[in-house]
Amino acid sequence: SYGGMLAAWFRFKYPNLVVGALASSAPLKIPANLMDPYAFFGRVTEDFASVDARCPQYVREAFVMIDQLAAQGESGLKKLEEEFLLCNQLQLDKVEHLKG
């Protein structure tokens, strides 16, 4: 599951903060470089498309919009902070985190 994968990644990234994480169905082979790193996102795209065929394109367009705002510098980063209701100031090197 996506939630399980996030729990596992959080554990990998912050071992000093997290004692353990339950990831019973998470695709952990991806971060371990044991399979195609894009396989999971391909499946997510298929899942979105099964709900609405336009959805994957909408997500791609949103990613372009994020990049365009980030390219505007301080004002664009501020807009992203507001749109995503971020608690902390967004740094340019962290923008990719908004796109998964």
Side-chain angles (χ1 to χ4, degrees), residues 15-30:
N16 58 321
L17 299 176
V18 180
V19 175
L22 182 60
S24 62
S25 63
L28 294 179
K29 292 180 180 180
I30 294 173

Side-chain angles (χ1 to χ4, degrees), residues 23-97:
S24 62
S25 63
L28 294 179
K29 292 180 180 180
I30 294 173
N33 293 323
L34 298 176
M35 65 182 289
D36 176 10
Y38 300 103
F40 174 77
F41 297 108
R43 296 266 163 75
V44 170
T45 300
E46 291 170 9
D47 191 41
F48 286 0
S50 73
V51 174
D52 185 328
R54 300 170 297 178
C55 194
Q57 186 58 36
Y58 291 158
V59 172
R60 289 183 191 99
E61 290 169 6
F63 287 174
V64 169
M65 293 167 98
I66 289 170
D67 290 338
Q68 289 171 340
L69 282 168
Q72 293 175 9
E74 183 94 19
S75 64
L77 293 175
K78 185 70 174 162
K79 179 71 173 167
L80 289 168
E81 290 170 19
E82 293 168 0
E83 291 296 321
F84 283 93
L85 301 175
L86 301 179
C87 297
N88 298 315
Q89 185 176 10
L90 180 61
Q91 302 298 318
L92 186 57
D93 64 335
K94 303 294 184 197
V95 170
E96 287 300 311
H97 293 239

